[in-house]
Amino acid sequence: MMIEGWGRFPRQLCRVHAPRDEAALRMALAEGPRIARGNGRGYGDCAMQRNATIDMRAFRRMLAFEEENGQLVVEAGVLLADVIATFLPRGWFPPVTPGTKFVTIGGMVAADVHGKNHHRDGTFGRFVDWLDLMTEDGTVLRCSPQENAELFAWTIGGMGLTGIILRVAFRLRRVESAWIRQTTLPARDLGEVMALFEANEAATYSVAWIDCLTTGAAMGRSALMLGEHATTDELSRVRRSAPFHVPRKPVRKVPVDLPQVALNRMTVRAFNALYHRNARAGAGTSVVDWDSYFYPLDAILEWNRIYGARGFMQFQCVLPTGAAKEGLTALLQAIAASGQGSFLSVLKRMGGEAGGMSFPREGYTLALDFPFSERSASLMDRLDAITLDHGGRFYLAKDARMAAATLRRSDPRAGAFAAMRRECALGLFRSSQSERLCL
Amino acid sequence: MTAQPVLIIGARSDIAMALARRYAAAGHDLQLAARRSEGLAADAADLALRHGVKASVHELDILDAASFGPFLDSLPVLPATAICVVGVLGEQAVSEADPAAATLVIRSNYEGPALLTGLIANRFAERGSGTIIGISSVAGDRGRASNYVYGSAKAGYTAFLSGLRNRLSKRGVHVMTVLPGFVRTRMTAGMDLPLRLTAEPDAVAEGIYQAAAKRRDVIYVKPIWRLVMTVIRAIPERIFKGTSL
Ligand SMILES: Cc1cc2nc3c(=O)[nH]c(=O)nc-3n(C[C@H](O)[C@H](O)[C@H](O)COP(=O)(O)OP(=O)(O)OC[C@H]3O[C@@H](n4cnc5c(N)ncnc54)[C@H](O)[C@@H]3O)c2cc1C
Ligand SMILES: NC(=O)c1ccc[n+]([C@@H]2O[C@H](COP(=O)([O-])OP(=O)(O)OC[C@H]3O[C@@H](n4cnc5c(N)ncnc54)[C@H](OP(=O)(O)O)[C@@H]3O)[C@@H](O)[C@H]2O)c1
């Protein structure tokens, strides 16, 4: 069947298996080259394999929870949305969350996802106590920092290339309410937003929406959004009486594939509105519910269709702190020069690096998306080159088009990962992405 | 609301799991009975975690009538509602040629479910309350060349439930017969089902849950099936025998 990632590019004809238990899963493994697929929120071709793509969503049971330490054990196909729906009303929240709740826990481990708290708390992998991994021949290994430690480290951020994650034990964090106290700070240019990130290292959550269209003195103007889980005494009296209750909101859906021209204007207007609203002194603090704060895009189902049938491409790199200012300036200049606006442009400060192939490292990450076209493809080649020149690297969960040589140059760990896969005979776990990147 | 326990027999089926989720979401404790029930421990844990209910797992083979008494004695409490989901479709051609295969279909759809629901009914009658829900099939409404071994066994079960309902209606025990049309489950995996006539397991569970609350007697989950079966039953035998429906 034809499948695609969230970016809708590429689209490939793959044989898809949807096993319901381990026995059926083992049978699917016998088919040769294969890759696990979670909820398909990776943007490109990371969760596709023409020969055998294994849909893990039938493995969706929650298995155990320990109230004392917040450890939750789930099957890998459980959705983050279900974890939140079950545990937020009891006062627990995921320790790290990506910008959508429609991801599986297996996908979160495989991409070692980061959230708005990366600078403080690191990636999702830091909160994983152990996982069960089905390897090449169908045996299941318990992996943790103590047991099969090397395989554990490579599996976190390993993009499904070490085996099929079956079960994951990870820690939730305690929260007092379902609300976030958000502060929005406008920044006039790139220098200012970076200074603000650094001045606000203590904030739990921080992320900036950056304007990629404005050039000149105001290049890099941004709106920095800080967030803290609201304590009960920060809530209004009504909310305090039921701190985990959030009134339901309507869910909208993008009805048809939109034409591409509509987008840029929409983005610019929305950005300007946010920026100017918060530029007034003291205007920037508000209390918002968890869903609006962490997952604003989830309120619009299938929003990826705004890019039309040809789909779009994400670009996400991280630049080391020392080279960040210069590198980001060069990236923004290249984007402005190309005249290609990005609908969502996100800048974030990152903390230290984890092991394996985990993407984040200390510095700044910039995430952009562009509608699919020849022009944007050549712009992305340009952005790759700038990233390489500044010692940066790329996020595989977003990639759909990078060249193998680019990955090798950006990340010396790629060679070690490929060698490890050969040594441990893990070569049959491969995705269209890993084939393209020669991993 | 009190968490009235619900017993689900044949709990590993897709319809059964959908029922378990629906009842758990409404706060009911669950007793999950199935053969090879080891695999259900994870499902029970999941239901308990998500919905904050108690869920227990029990081994049961519907072909082993001698075990029914001890099985019922072993339940943590006599449930308020018992739902029998067990069924075997078999392959008609095989059932025609091989008496052993036909016997399995007949016993799994009729004998076993009837005997067990009968015993449960006795205990409910003694207590003076309870709801019994039996999943039969539209295939029992009229025998057809394509599946009459399965269909006749379901017809037997439908008749059994009807009699039970009649017997117990004045004893506080409610009996509901469910006649699902096509449902997208493991049983029908790979079959080319007509979209308008096919239901998802979750929709079947919702339909059963709502109908049980209203104490309905016989339901065809998707209303269109009542119409379809009325027409099919009305066709004179002389004409019916020449059709291939
Ligand atoms: C709107 C949006 C916002 C996002 N925001 C962020 C963000 O802020 N931070 C961030 O880090 N990421 C973000 N992402 C990316 C997303 O978190 C990752 O791509 C994640 O891996 C998707 O999970 P999935 O279950 O959909 O997996 P898929 O997309 O189906 O698969 C992703 C990878 O995980 C592997 N995988 C999946 N399940 C298993 C398994 N059971 N065993 C082994 N390997 C498996 C696949 O092989 C593949 O390589 C975002 C994505 C979207 C669409
Ligand atoms: N799907 C449809 O289109 C459809 C239509 C009309 C009626 N129905 C009826 O709906 C019910 C549920 O069916 P389904 O579609 O969900 O299919 P299913 O998954 O095949 O369910 C049948 C269940 O019966 C169990 N079972 C069979 N023999 C048993 C035995 N000896 N002891 C204990 N359990 C036994 C099976 O257990 P195992 O898991 O151990 O095999 C299975 O869980 C059945 O009664 C079926 O006849 C289905």
Side-chain angles (χ1 to χ4, degrees):
Chain A
M1 107 196 213
M2 291 299 279
I3 55 175
E4 58 192 21
W6 188 246
R8 308 185 73 195
F9 169 85
R11 206 163 294 167
Q12 287 178 355
L13 185 63
C14 300
R15 210 170 323 139
V16 179
H17 299 264
R20 300 167 51 123
D21 52 37
E22 282 180 37
L25 176 57
R26 261 188 208 99
M27 272 165 52
L29 288 197
E31 308 263 316
R34 71 306 253 221
I35 195 73
R37 182 177 176 89
N39 207 34
R41 254 47 178 194
Y43 278 77
D45 49 0
C46 59
M48 297 180 188
Q49 164 58 247
R50 291 175 191 278
N51 181 68
T53 300
I54 303 180
D55 181 339
M56 291 295 291
R57 286 176 299 181
F59 294 79
R60 55 167 186 185
R61 296 173 297 192
M62 300 188 191
L63 301 173
F65 181 66
E66 275 182 49
E67 193 72 38
E68 308 77 63
N69 59 14
Q71 189 197 61
L72 176 64
V73 182
V74 298
E75 291 183 329
V78 164
L79 287 181
L80 183 62
D82 285 352
V83 171
I84 298 171
T86 305
F87 288 97
L88 182 55
R90 301 177 207 175
W92 299 91
F93 198 73
V96 167
T97 171
T100 171
K101 59 186 177 297
F102 300 122
V103 292
T104 65
I105 303 301
M108 289 173 71
V109 173
D112 196 20
V113 297
H114 56 273
K116 298 175 179 179
N117 56 343
H118 185 268
H119 62 286
R120 257 188 49 162
D121 299 324
T123 54
F124 187 66
R126 265 197 63 202
F127 299 88
V128 175
D129 289 340
W130 54 259
L131 53 87
D132 284 342
L133 188 71
M134 187 177 276
T135 54
E136 196 86 357
D137 60 354
T139 35
V140 177
L141 296 177
R142 174 68 50 99
C143 304
S144 72
Q146 293 78 38
E147 230 176 314
N148 299 304
E150 206 194 341
L151 195 53
F152 180 71
W154 283 117
T155 298
I156 293 174
M159 300 305 286
L161 301 174
T162 60
I164 311 276
I165 302 165
L166 293 177
R167 285 171 286 274
V168 182
F170 66 101
R171 305 285 181 105
L172 298 175
R173 64 183 284 173
R174 269 217 173 277
V175 293
E176 282 188 33
S177 78
W179 301 87
I180 302 290
R181 190 160 42 78
Q182 173 178 266
T183 307
T184 306
L185 307 170
R188 277 171 308 229
D189 57 28
L190 184 62
E192 192 172 22
V193 71
M194 291 176 73
L196 280 174
F197 266 119
E198 255 125 269
N200 288 285
E201 293 267 272
T204 304
Y205 300 108
S206 66
V207 68
W209 186 2
I210 183 166
D211 171 3
C212 284
L213 295 170
T214 305
T215 50
M219 189 171 76
R221 79 191 174 120
S222 310
L224 175 67
M225 291 168 269
L226 307 174
E228 300 293 335
H229 288 281
T231 58
T232 38
D233 26 288
E234 288 166 339
L235 299 178
S236 68
R237 189 185 313 227
V238 177
R239 288 178 184 166
R240 206 178 309 154
S241 65
F244 297 106
H245 175 74
V246 175
R248 283 175 76 98
K249 281 168 303 204
V251 175
R252 280 162 300 169
K253 190 167 176 169
V254 174
V256 286
D257 297 339
L258 287 186
Q260 291 184 357
V261 280
L263 266 184
N264 277 348
R265 252 174 301 152
M266 243 164 70
T267 312
V268 176
R269 282 209 208 109
F271 182 89
N272 283 335
L274 178 73
Y275 186 88
H276 293 298
R277 176 153 31 90
N278 292 300
R280 282 173 286 126
T285 297
S286 56
V287 173
V288 296
D289 68 86
W290 63 278
D291 209 4
S292 316
Y293 181 77
F294 290 103
Y295 315 109
L297 289 169
D298 286 351
I300 312 166
L301 293 179
E302 298 179 14
W303 65 262
N304 54 346
R305 297 175 61 178
I306 58 177
Y307 284 99
R310 290 187 77 189
F312 64 107
M313 293 184 288
Q314 266 264 341
F315 175 87
Q316 185 171 0
C317 67
V318 56
L319 300 173
T321 312
K325 178 87 187 287
E326 204 189 298
L328 288 169
T329 305
L331 290 170
L332 292 176
Q333 272 163 350
I335 297 162
S338 79
Q340 303 254 48
S342 159
F343 176 51
L344 280 174
S345 313
V346 173
L347 180 69
K348 155 123 201 79
R349 173 122 181 89
M350 286 191 144
E353 167 176 293
M357 284 295 286
S358 177
F359 161 69
R361 58 169 295 171
E362 224 252 280
Y364 281 86
T365 182
L366 180 66
L368 311 160
D369 48 32
F370 300 100
F372 184 88
S373 73
E374 300 304 312
R375 261 179 47 211
S376 53
S378 63
L379 168 62
M380 290 179 71
D381 290 341
R382 183 85 202 90
L383 302 181
D384 284 356
I386 295 170
T387 304
L388 286 176
D389 285 349
H390 293 86
R393 67 184 181 219
F394 307 92
Y395 190 15
L396 295 181
K398 305 279 177 91
D399 158 64
R401 36 135 321 258
M402 190 188 351
T406 308
L407 174 66
R408 289 298 160 108
R409 280 186 56 205
S410 69
D411 197 340
R413 302 173 307 172
F417 188 40
M420 172 270 174
R421 277 168 37 77
R422 274 194 306 276
E423 240 164 71
C424 301
L426 292 170
L428 285 181
F429 290 107
R430 50 182 197 242
S431 57
S432 297
Q433 178 180 52
S434 79
E435 286 167 358
R436 173 168 51 79
L437 294 175
C438 306
L439 273 171
Chain B
M1 191 186 59
T2 49
Q4 304 260 44
V6 176
L7 166 65
I8 302 184
I9 303 154
R12 289 196 319 157
S13 94
D14 292 333
I15 293 175
M17 281 320 301
L19 281 164
R21 287 193 294 273
R22 183 62 188 88
Y23 276 90
H28 296 270
D29 289 345
L30 295 166
Q31 302 166 350
L32 306 175
R35 60 181 171 179
R36 300 187 298 260
S37 58
E38 322 77 65
L40 279 175
D43 296 286
D46 180 67
L47 289 161
L49 270 177
R50 287 187 198 235
H51 304 290
V53 300
K54 286 197 222 97
S56 53
V57 175
H58 309 271
E59 180 69 23
L60 176 84
D61 184 342
I62 207 76
L63 301 175
D64 182 9
S67 72
F68 294 171
F71 159 73
L72 292 175
D73 293 336
S74 79
L75 296 177
V77 292
L78 186 63
T81 297
I83 312 180
C84 182
V85 188
V86 174
V88 170
L89 184 55
E91 274 190 55
Q92 171 66 20
V94 179
S95 295
E96 284 167 23
D98 176 4
T103 304
L104 182 72
V105 170
I106 293 167
R107 294 187 60 208
S108 308
N109 289 299
Y110 176 52
E111 183 191 291
L115 294 177
L116 181 54
T117 8
L119 283 183
I120 295 170
N122 292 348
R123 296 192 184 205
F124 282 5
E126 202 172 304
R127 184 178 61 189
S129 71
T131 298
I132 289 179
I133 302 174
I135 315 270
S136 190
S137 171
V138 293
D141 278 9
R142 191 158 195 181
R144 289 176 293 131
S146 58
N147 67 358
Y148 64 85
V149 176
Y150 169 77
S152 63
K154 287 294 194 189
Y157 190 42
T158 301
F160 186 93
L161 291 169
S162 160
L164 209 54
R165 178 162 44 244
N166 190 202
R167 174 186 143 209
L168 299 174
S169 71
K170 296 202 177 59
R171 316 251 330 244
V173 180
H174 178 63
V175 178
M176 183 167 94
T177 309
V178 183
L179 305 173
F182 301 125
V183 189
R184 206 179 306 285
T185 66
R186 210 166 25 150
M187 187 178 268
T188 51
M191 294 185 193
D192 190 16
L193 302 174
L195 200 63
R196 270 174 53 90
L197 296 177
T198 305
E200 296 298 324
D202 284 330
V204 173
E206 184 64 33
I208 291 174
Y209 179 81
Q210 300 293 350
K214 292 187 206 130
R215 295 177 86 81
R216 301 267 309 272
D217 296 321
V218 180
I219 65 161
Y220 288 84
V221 184
K222 250 179 144 43
I224 185 165
W225 275 101
R226 189 179 287 277
L227 184 71
V228 171
M229 294 321 294
T230 306
V231 172
I232 289 184
R233 273 196 313 262
I235 303 173
E237 192 67 19
R238 209 158 40 78
I239 299 169
F240 190 76
K241 70 178 179 189
T243 61
S244 54
L245 282 167

